[in-house]
């Protein structure tokens, strides 16, 4: 069964993006299949499909560290998907998965190595993701707002798995006072993540 996904066949402007029918995936060990309800787009997503020179250079550096990728051709990079952040409902649970069940409402981000990321994208009707990259969506947060928390959680919490940090942010009650360190808290991204926290800019 095919699913719909936004893809691009070469780096460039937004006009290069297209809606394509792609083969559906089955969840592998430690993964779940999700019916996507909402997607959050971040500045890094635009930089990736535009082929930012800095990200391409970083991706080449990561390739040098991985001998299995040394002989990859440029054509093997495409087609590529768009987006990282998402929210949706679990459709299928892969082998070895515990803590998630069909019908669960979740959110998260597709975590990848620095650089141009992976060929997968969250801007699709269905995706398969690792359980470490998702968290259960609280009933108090709708799908649209939940889909905007993934990269923001990684920005504030660090590169150690979106599920852990997204889950932590959901546990922050509005009526409680929490102390946390926000890297770059005086800038645009930091200001978006200071709500609900008692912050002191250093």
């Amino acid at each position: 069964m095919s699913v719909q996904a936004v893809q691009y066949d070469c780096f460039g402007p937004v006009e290069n993006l297209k809606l394509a029918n792609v083969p559906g995936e089955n969840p592998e060990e430690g993964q779940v299949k999700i019916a996507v309800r909402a997607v959050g787009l971040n500045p890094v997503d635009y930089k990736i499909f535009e082929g930012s020179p800095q990200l391409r250079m970083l991706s080449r550096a990561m390739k040098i560290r991985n001998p299995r990728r040394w002989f990859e051709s440029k054509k093997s990079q495409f087609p590529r998907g768009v987006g990282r952040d998402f929210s949706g409902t679990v459709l299928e649970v892969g082998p070895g998965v515990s803590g998630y069940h069909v019908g669960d409402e979740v959110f998260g981000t597709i975590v990848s190595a620095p650089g141009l990321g992976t060929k997968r994208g969250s801007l699709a009707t269905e995706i398969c993701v690792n359980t470490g990259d998702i968290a259960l969506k609280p009933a108090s947060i709708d799908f649209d707002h939940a889909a905007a928390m993934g990269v923001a959680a990684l920005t504030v919490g660090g590169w150690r798995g979106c599920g852990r940090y997204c889950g932590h942010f959901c546990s922050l009650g509005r009526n409680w006072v929490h102390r946390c360190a926000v890297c770059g808290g005086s800038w645009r991204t930091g200001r978006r993540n200071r709500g609900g926290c008692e912050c002191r800019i250093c």
Side-chain angles (χ1 to χ4, degrees):
M1 181 177 179
S2 64
V3 301
Q4 289 189 311
V6 174
Q7 294 185 330
Y8 56 101
D9 294 318
C10 62
F11 297 119
V14 68
E15 286 76 17
N16 288 0
L17 304 183
K18 63 181 182 180
L19 184 63
N21 291 315
V22 299
E25 297 180 307
N26 293 317
E28 299 178 355
E29 181 84 19
Q31 291 188 330
V32 295
K33 179 187 287 188
I34 296 173
V36 178
R37 293 283 300 273
V39 171
L41 294 178
N42 299 275
V44 68
D45 298 314
Y46 291 88
K47 292 177 182 178
I48 289 174
F49 70 68
E50 289 175 348
S52 162
Q54 292 86 353
L55 290 181
R56 295 173 76 168
M57 184 179 300
L58 181 56
S59 188
R60 284 194 290 269
M62 298 300 295
K63 183 176 180 179
I64 292 174
R65 297 177 58 184
N66 188 349
R68 291 181 299 177
R69 298 182 55 202
W70 286 357
F71 301 102
E72 285 182 350
S73 65
K74 291 185 178 180
K75 290 184 178 180
S76 67
Q77 297 184 68
F78 303 101
R80 301 179 70 89
V82 178
R84 294 170 179 250
D85 293 353
F86 61 88
S87 64
T89 305
V90 175
L91 288 176
E92 187 178 342
V93 175
V97 171
S98 61
Y100 294 98
H101 307 87
V102 173
D104 284 347
E105 297 180 347
V106 298
F107 69 110
T109 192
I110 299 176
V111 177
S112 63
L116 295 176
T118 69
K119 292 182 66 175
R120 299 181 300 149
S122 60
L123 206 53
T125 53
E126 295 178 5
I127 55 175
C128 289
V129 295
N130 297 322
T131 55
D133 299 342
I134 62 174
L136 293 171
K137 182 185 76 66
S140 59
I141 302 178
D142 61 29
F143 284 104
D144 291 343
H145 286 85
M149 292 181 65
V151 168
L154 289 175
T155 301
V156 175
W159 193 268
R160 296 197 182 121
C162 177
R164 174 181 172 186
Y165 288 100
C166 286
H168 173 66
F169 285 128
C170 287
S171 70
L172 296 179
R174 285 187 173 273
N175 298 323
W176 295 84
V177 175
H178 297 268
R179 296 177 185 272
C180 61
V182 179
C183 300
S186 62
W187 294 91
R188 185 173 302 169
T189 302
R191 287 200 299 269
R192 291 180 179 272
N193 291 286
R194 279 156 46 191
C197 297
E198 178 182 302
C199 291
R200 180 174 299 171
I201 306 303
C202 302

